[in-house]
């Protein structure tokens, strides 16, 4: 990767080396395996397809990941958290959004850790915070079979506390609405979506409400402030009012609560779209393999947040692709165009 006269080429190479160093595989083919995984993310290709370009068999890649994947995942998560902590330097309290995303896998159904009951999808939960226009990843957990919703929330919040942050506000969508989750998040300021079918209030409402779980005794139920609001939609050329509900313990006006919920909650959906933009494909049905490539995609997303204010996601992807090409001459003009805006960001990243 040597092209005479290309500005700051050493910096580009160092970024590439730093990315590879995050994949801490050990063994004779460790670097090739790391390059295959990075390349699959950057090109959004299959891991098996990219392996041919690095003279390593797909089975070798699978063997390395299945044998060393758990340790590598921990190192990648550590790198992801370090990037977010650097961006949040000096921040003590954070507003957190928690949600999970589902990745559907086609082919033979898979049973076991992380997969859905039918074995056609795998779920991952994250906690994010928005800071200075950046949506930063703070915590992650794969949703394994048997894990309850409150266990997911507790695990994510514990990770955030372990990073040294205090949770000021937590927002969750209606998929997390359970008595156990409500009881846990009541120690924070919170807003959580509520299925309207559960509360059965189909009108504008702002008042006290208590859960009515049939599995819980009366003294085990949770009281909260319930907000119900209607939204007019057009369905089959007819205007229909659809009702939504939120539970909260905030002492704000109804309008302020709903606005705050959307402000904190909304960006997590964008983060999932950007993560999946770096998520490669694989024919492997092993839990550790699929967890690793999802975590690796999260690391790429975290790196993207560092450069987000100076380039679009696809420009960022192309910049990283350059780090792994042998001949840069065809893309020389692109580098010159980005030179001024990237220099400061690159130097900042390399100093970490």
């Amino acid at each position: 990767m040597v092209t005479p006269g290309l500005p700051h080429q050493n910096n580009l190479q160092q970024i590439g080396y730093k990315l590879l160093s995050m994949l801490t595989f050990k063994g004779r083919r460790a670097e090739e395996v790391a390059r295959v995984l990075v390349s699959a993310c950057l090109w959004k290709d299959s891991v098996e397809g990219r392996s041919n370009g690095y003279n390593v068999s797909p089975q070798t890649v699978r063997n390395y990941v299945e044998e060393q994947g758990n340790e590598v995942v921990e190192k990648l998560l550590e790198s992801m958290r370090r990037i977010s902590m650097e961006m949040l330097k000096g921040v003590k309290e954070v507003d957190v959004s928690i949600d999970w995303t589902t990745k559907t896998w086609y082919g033979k159904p898979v049973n076991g850790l992380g997969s859905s009951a039918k074995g056609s999808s795998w779920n991952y939960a994250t906690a994010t915070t928005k800071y200075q226009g950046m949506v930063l990843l703070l915590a992650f957990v794969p949703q394994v079979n048997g894990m309850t919703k409150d266990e997911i929330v507790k695990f994510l919040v514990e990770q955030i506390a372990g990073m040294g942050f205090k949770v000021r506000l937590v927002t969750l969508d209606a998929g997390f609405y359970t008595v156990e989750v409500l009881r846990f998040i009541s120690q924070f300021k919170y807003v959580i979506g509520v299925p309207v079918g559960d509360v059965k209030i189909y009108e504008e409402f702002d008042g006290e409400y208590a859960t009515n779980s049939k599995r819980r005794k009366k003294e085990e139920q949770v009281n909260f402030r319930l907000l119900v609001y209607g939204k007019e939609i057009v369905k089959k050329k007819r205007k229909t009012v659809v009702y939504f509900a939120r539970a909260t313990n905030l002492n704000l006006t109804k309008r302020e609560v709903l606005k705050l919920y959307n402000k904190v909650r909304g960006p997590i959906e964008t983060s999932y779209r950007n993560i999946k933009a770096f998520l490669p494909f694989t024919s492997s049905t092993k839990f550790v393999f699929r967890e690793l490539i999802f975590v690796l995609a999260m690391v790429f997303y975290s790196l993207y947040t560092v450069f987000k204010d100076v380039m679009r996601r696809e420009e960022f992807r192309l910049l990283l692709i350059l780090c792994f090409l042998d001949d840069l001459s065809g893309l020389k003009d692109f580098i010159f165009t980005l030179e001024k805006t990237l220099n400061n960001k690159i130097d900042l990243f390399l100093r970490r």
Side-chain angles (χ1 to χ4, degrees):
M1 184 173 161
V2 177
T3 306
L6 193 64
H8 301 285
Q9 189 174 348
N10 288 338
N11 281 352
L12 294 176
Q13 288 177 319
Q14 288 180 58
I15 291 177
Y17 295 147
K18 188 158 188 173
L19 279 166
L20 292 175
S21 70
M22 293 179 183
L23 290 160
T24 55
F25 291 106
K26 298 178 178 65
R28 186 171 60 86
R29 308 304 301 276
E31 183 173 342
E32 290 92 335
V33 170
R35 286 180 176 274
V36 168
L37 294 168
V38 168
S39 179
C41 288
L42 292 178
W43 292 98
K44 208 175 186 304
D45 197 357
S46 72
V47 174
E48 291 76 12
R50 299 307 300 180
S51 65
N52 295 328
Y54 293 94
N55 297 317
V56 58
S57 72
Q59 187 58 51
T60 297
V61 177
R62 285 193 285 268
N63 290 343
Y64 268 76
V65 174
E66 290 168 17
E67 292 170 7
Q68 304 179 40
N70 290 324
E71 181 181 345
V72 174
V73 164
E74 289 304 314
K75 294 292 184 181
L76 288 172
L77 289 173
E78 185 180 314
S79 298
M80 180 194 79
R81 287 189 285 264
R82 193 183 305 121
I83 293 170
S84 296
M85 289 176 71
E86 186 68 24
M87 296 293 100
L88 291 167
K89 185 174 289 185
V91 175
K92 302 298 183 183
E93 294 184 322
V94 290
D95 295 336
V96 173
S97 179
I98 291 175
D99 200 1
W100 60 60
T101 187
T102 298
K103 179 60 181 175
T104 300
W105 305 88
Y106 301 98
K108 184 180 178 180
V110 181
N111 294 318
L113 294 176
S115 63
S116 66
K118 296 181 180 180
S120 59
S121 62
W122 298 48
N123 299 325
Y124 305 94
T126 64
T128 64
T129 190
K130 188 172 183 180
Y131 178 70
Q132 295 184 349
M134 299 177 292
V135 183
L136 303 172
L137 290 162
L138 299 178
F140 162 82
V141 60
Q143 185 187 1
V144 301
N145 286 344
M147 181 178 284
T148 63
K149 296 174 182 179
D150 61 302
E151 286 174 339
I152 292 172
V153 176
K154 289 176 183 177
F155 194 83
L156 294 172
V157 170
E158 286 171 0
Q159 289 184 54
I160 295 170
M163 295 171 70
F165 298 115
K166 179 180 179 181
V167 175
R168 178 172 50 201
L169 170 72
V170 58
T171 63
L172 307 99
D173 78 352
F176 285 94
Y177 178 72
T178 66
V179 170
E180 293 80 9
V181 170
L182 280 167
R183 184 176 291 112
F184 175 72
I185 64 173
S186 293
Q187 62 186 294
F188 313 108
K189 296 178 180 178
Y190 72 86
V191 187
I192 181 174
V194 177
V196 177
D198 285 8
V199 296
K200 295 181 174 58
I201 297 178
Y202 301 95
E203 60 183 4
E204 296 288 328
F205 182 84
D206 182 354
E208 293 300 312
Y209 187 85
T211 57
N212 54 5
S213 173
K214 295 179 181 179
R215 297 186 296 110
R216 298 292 173 184
K217 298 177 181 178
K218 184 176 181 181
E219 61 270 18
E220 294 176 329
Q221 304 295 335
V222 179
N223 297 312
F224 56 83
R225 177 186 174 193
L226 177 67
L227 308 175
V228 180
Y229 64 99
K231 186 176 181 180
E232 193 175 73
I233 64 171
V234 177
K235 190 175 183 180
K236 294 182 180 180
K237 297 182 179 181
R238 297 179 60 183
K239 291 184 178 180
T240 304
V241 176
V242 178
Y243 287 94
F244 302 89
R246 303 284 183 262
T248 187
N249 58 359
L250 294 174
N251 187 24
L252 299 173
T253 66
K254 182 177 179 180
R255 182 177 180 180
E256 289 173 324
V257 172
L258 299 179
K259 184 177 179 180
L260 184 60
Y261 177 82
N262 292 330
K263 179 182 178 181
V264 178
R265 170 81 180 79
I268 199 169
E269 297 294 344
T270 302
S271 73
Y272 282 137
R273 286 195 294 272
N274 283 319
I275 289 168
K276 290 180 178 179
F278 292 105
L279 185 62
F281 307 97
T282 179
S283 60
S284 173
T285 59
K286 299 295 184 181
F287 172 69
V288 65
F289 203 114
R290 296 191 171 176
E291 181 185 20
L292 185 143
I293 60 174
F294 190 88
V295 172
L296 183 56
M298 290 199 303
V299 171
F300 274 99
Y301 167 74
S302 295
L303 291 172
Y304 166 58
T305 61
V306 178
F307 298 87
K308 184 175 178 291
D309 60 338
V310 294
M311 68 175 70
R312 296 189 301 273
R313 187 185 67 214
E314 293 310 303
E315 292 173 327
F316 170 76
R317 185 199 303 275
L318 183 53
L319 170 67
L320 294 185
I321 287 175
L322 296 179
C323 301
F324 297 91
L325 291 180
D326 293 325
D327 180 13
L328 301 180
S329 58
L331 295 170
K332 187 174 179 179
D333 291 339
F334 177 81
I335 293 296
F336 274 104
T337 301
L338 291 180
E339 179 191 4
K340 291 183 180 179
T341 55
L342 288 180
N343 285 341
N344 291 337
K345 287 291 183 180
I346 291 173
D347 292 338
L348 174 63
F349 172 60
L350 293 176
R351 285 199 299 270
R352 289 177 189 158

